[in-house]
Amino acid sequence: VLPLIRFDLLGDTTHAISTRLGGVSRPPYDTLNLGYANQDDEVNVAANRATFLQALGVDTALVVSGWLSHGTEIAVFPAGEADRWPLSWETMRPGGRRRERLFRADAAVTDARGVYFMLTFGDCVPLLFADRRHGVVAAAHAGWRGTAGSIGPAVVRAMRKQFGCDPADIVVGIGPSIGPCCYAVGAQVVETFRNRGAIHQLECRDGLAYLDLWASNERQLTDAGIMPGSIENARLCTSCRTDLFFSHRAENGSTGRFGLCIGNAPDDDG
Ligand SMILES: [Zn+2]
């Protein structure tokens, strides 16, 4: 059985976060590398993606992947308007052969059934959103730039504006990512968060500044109207747990990516 991270609060919404276990890639991508943006063999990555999606019961053909820009753009996929979805078929890396359905954004939201978002991570914060009353799901990739740009609240805004969601109905899962134990940051990041008035999310130890991306995202989400009890944080540090996850920081950039998948299952009668 493939190990998967799931959130109780997301209930029966189809979702999971992968670990690095159970795949076919060789070091330093061992073994379940889901990211194409490295030197791993594309055939292995495709096989690993299929393994992850199969464990979730998700049809590979229904998956759309994010092409990350480390910004705060949100791709919106309204049901019944599939012709307007911000999708393109593109090769996953320069000179690569594999073409995937991609959206160029760090977050995506939909009320459609039968579409699943996949994003990949190697320290940045995975955010998974669901409003079961409106059947809306969303996913976001919040690194320090996305967090500084308040990508979580931007997703909540898009869910309200596009689909009429009430923040009180929205539940959020915060996935494995680099924790306040390990995330030493430089002057540029310190300056950015200080300017945002988020100085309490920085801690100085042994002459270094550590940023708490978890606290920062939680605070932004509750400020955006999410109930504190509606946020579930896995509190797993990727840098501490390279036995389970890929960590760009802990592995000096030479590593793979684990991923999240979230979506609404297709209609049974569809
Ligand atoms: Zn840590």
Side-chain angles (χ1 to χ4, degrees), residues 109-258:
V109 55
T110 189
D111 63 340
R113 306 198 69 86
V115 56
Y116 297 91
F117 299 132
M118 181 185 278
L119 295 172
T120 57
F121 301 85
D123 281 342
C124 293
V125 183
L127 300 175
L128 298 83
F129 300 77
D131 170 356
R132 289 151 86 192
R133 193 148 75 92
H134 291 85
V136 175
V137 297
H141 172 276
W144 78 262
R145 289 176 198 279
T147 303
S150 299
I151 195 167
V155 170
V156 173
R157 262 200 314 280
M159 291 175 78
R160 294 178 75 147
K161 186 165 159 255
Q162 305 282 341
F163 304 116
C165 297
D166 179 343
D169 293 327
I170 299 173
V171 293
V172 185
I174 298 179
S177 33
I178 193 163
C181 39
C182 295
Y183 194 33
V185 292
Q188 185 196 2
V189 178
V190 169
E191 191 64 18
T192 303
F193 279 77
R194 185 182 281 147
N195 289 342
R196 297 185 69 257
I199 195 72
H200 51 285
Q201 289 145 8
L202 289 159
E203 194 194 347
C204 285
R205 300 194 302 271
D206 309 324
L208 291 172
Y210 290 82
L211 176 60
D212 189 341
L213 289 174
W214 296 339
S216 191
N217 278 282
E218 285 177 9
R219 174 66 180 273
Q220 289 179 9
L221 289 165
T222 53
D223 285 352
I226 308 290
M227 316 280 245
S230 297
I231 300 173
E232 184 175 345
N233 189 339
R235 303 197 78 80
L236 284 164
C237 172
T238 44
S239 176
C240 287
R241 298 302 305 271
T242 50
D243 58 322
L244 279 178
F245 304 102
F246 298 107
S247 171
H248 180 80
R249 175 69 69 96
E251 299 172 274
N252 299 315
S254 181
T255 189
R257 294 288 182 272
F258 59 95

Side-chain angles (χ1 to χ4, degrees), residues 16-33:
I17 293 178
S18 62
T19 71
R20 71 187 296 165
L21 309 174
V24 297
S25 293
R26 294 167 177 281
Y29 311 112
D30 49 316
T31 54
L32 196 73
N33 171 38

